[in-house]
Amino acid sequence: MLLLVRHAMPAYGPAVPPHEWTLSAEGWQAARRLIARLPADARLVSSGEVKAWQTLGGDGAVTRDRRFDEVTRVEPWEGDYRELRRAYVDGADHPGWEPRAEVAERFDAGITEQLALAGGRPLVVATHGMAMTVWMTARLGLDGSGDFWADLRFPDAHRVDLVAGAVERVSGG
């Protein structure tokens, strides 16, 4: 079983880069509720970003793997960043943004390796909205990638069936 988790709500602001954001108080509460519903024997892996690692408990039981980091990008703090992000997952190229093919390739390599390391146990990966959407679009042919991304919650968990090419929400913020 593969569960992809979008991280819980971070404490955010322009003074701290997004890859350094930690969870907000609300995010910690939601993360604790999510953790209680995860399979007890699961292999827990997060992106290298603090907010993703904390979403799965933020301790030594969680392996960090940078291949699950969010899309690298240059975007303004002010303005319609949601519109830019949705356009990106829908296929638009933005200067200074990591190419979607590279995101999908690194993410897929991470999934392949981590599933092998899980040895048949459930794999739970805490990651980020754009990265997981880009990967599912490339790997599974996800329809309506912009709609999927826009509907993601903080946190949000989806069961991914790689054989059937199906995605099912199992928990949301």
Side-chain angles (χ1 to χ4, degrees):
M1 174 191 337
L2 171 60
L3 288 175
L4 290 184
V5 174
R6 187 216 203 155
H7 63 81
M9 180 61 76
Y12 56 90
V16 178
H19 66 275
E20 294 179 12
W21 292 345
T22 60
L23 292 185
S24 64
E26 172 191 339
W28 274 110
Q29 290 173 356
R32 282 192 286 277
R33 289 190 301 272
L34 173 76
I35 292 165
R37 296 189 302 262
L38 295 177
D41 63 337
R43 177 172 176 76
L44 304 177
V45 180
S46 78
S47 83
E49 297 186 31
V50 177
K51 59 189 170 272
W53 178 67
Q54 289 176 333
T55 297
L56 295 183
D59 60 25
V62 182
T63 299
R64 290 185 182 186
D65 187 331
R66 294 205 171 277
R67 292 174 292 188
F68 301 118
D69 284 5
E70 183 58 292
V71 171
T72 56
R73 64 200 180 278
V74 176
E75 67 182 345
W77 175 254
E78 309 245 344
D80 196 351
Y81 65 90
R82 287 190 58 81
E83 182 178 308
L84 284 170
R85 293 176 185 186
R86 184 176 183 145
Y88 172 83
V89 299
D90 267 339
D93 295 321
H94 300 314
W97 289 49
E98 186 177 8
R100 283 177 304 287
E102 290 177 16
V103 175
E105 183 178 322
R106 69 172 160 84
F107 204 101
D108 197 59
I111 292 294
T112 300
E113 181 178 319
Q114 294 299 336
L115 279 170
L117 291 171
R121 295 181 297 145
L123 173 63
V124 177
V125 176
T127 185
H128 308 273
M130 288 189 295
M132 69 188 270
T133 302
V134 165
W135 176 73
M136 287 190 290
T137 300
R139 176 76 187 259
L140 307 174
L142 181 68
D143 288 328
S145 53
D147 291 339
F148 176 85
W149 175 83
D151 193 43
L152 287 171
R153 303 169 190 161
F154 292 101
D156 211 349
H158 289 79
R159 182 178 297 114
V160 178
D161 183 332
L162 294 173
V163 175
V167 178
E168 173 190 10
R169 175 179 273 144
V170 294
S171 175

